[in-house]
């Protein structure tokens, strides 16, 4: 399921130094909702990322804000259970070449 899902679902991208989800990114959230409805046994881990402009502290904070924004949308607008969503801390440099996004990591429980 992870390989299949990864090939059809893109990350949610953000504008520079922002944690507001762009309207153009909403279809991704709809695809996540559809997938979860078909596979209710999976859990989601959100990993926020930034580019390398700014201090590590600012980027860590922004990464977490982006992940929290996605979680809030999934819970409040797409009726996800908050307990099925985990937010991962982005304390390392990994993934910075894929700038300013939140990825969906799906796992079966």
């Amino acid at each position: 399921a992870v390989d299949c899902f990864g090939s059809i679902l893109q990350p949610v991208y953000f504008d520079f130094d922002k944690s507001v989800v762009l309207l153009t990114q909403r279809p991704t959230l709809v695809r996540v909702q559809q997938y979860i409805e078909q596979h209710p046994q999976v859990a989601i881990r959100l990993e926020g990322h930034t580019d390398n402009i700014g201090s590590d502290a600012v980027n860590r904070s922004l990464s977490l804000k982006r992940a929290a924004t996605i979680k809030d949308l999934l819970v409040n607008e797409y009726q996800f259970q908050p307990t099925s969503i985990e937010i991962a801390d982005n304390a390392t440099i990994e993934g910075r070449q894929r700038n300013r996004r939140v990825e969906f990591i799906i796992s079966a429980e």
Side-chain angles (χ1 to χ4, degrees):
V2 173
D3 290 338
C4 239
F5 193 64
S7 68
I8 61 169
L9 183 65
Q10 297 299 312
V12 173
Y13 290 94
F14 293 86
D15 281 339
F16 176 75
D17 199 29
K18 303 289 183 202
S19 62
V20 176
V21 175
L22 302 167
L23 288 177
T24 59
Q25 301 301 300
R26 292 294 183 119
T28 297
L29 299 177
V30 171
R31 286 192 296 276
V32 171
Q33 179 184 33
Q34 292 168 343
Y35 183 85
I36 297 300
E37 286 173 353
Q38 296 171 1
H39 304 90
Q41 74 282 7
V42 301
I44 298 174
R45 182 179 68 206
L46 301 175
E47 294 184 353
H49 296 267
T50 64
D51 57 26
N52 62 359
I53 297 173
S55 70
D56 287 347
V58 167
N59 284 336
R60 272 193 296 277
S61 175
L62 181 57
S63 295
L64 290 174
K65 278 173 103 172
R66 288 174 174 169
T69 296
I70 295 297
K71 181 177 181 177
D72 288 345
L73 282 173
L74 292 176
V75 169
N76 296 318
E77 294 186 28
Y78 296 90
Q79 290 72 49
F80 279 66
Q81 294 300 315
T83 55
S84 68
I85 304 171
E86 170 193 356
I87 296 180
D89 186 359
N90 184 30
T92 67
I93 309 172
E94 84 177 13
R96 291 216 175 145
Q97 70 272 16
R98 297 181 202 146
N99 299 336
R100 298 187 302 267
R101 73 195 183 282
V102 168
E103 292 183 337
F104 296 90
I105 311 296
I106 305 298
S107 62
E109 292 289 325

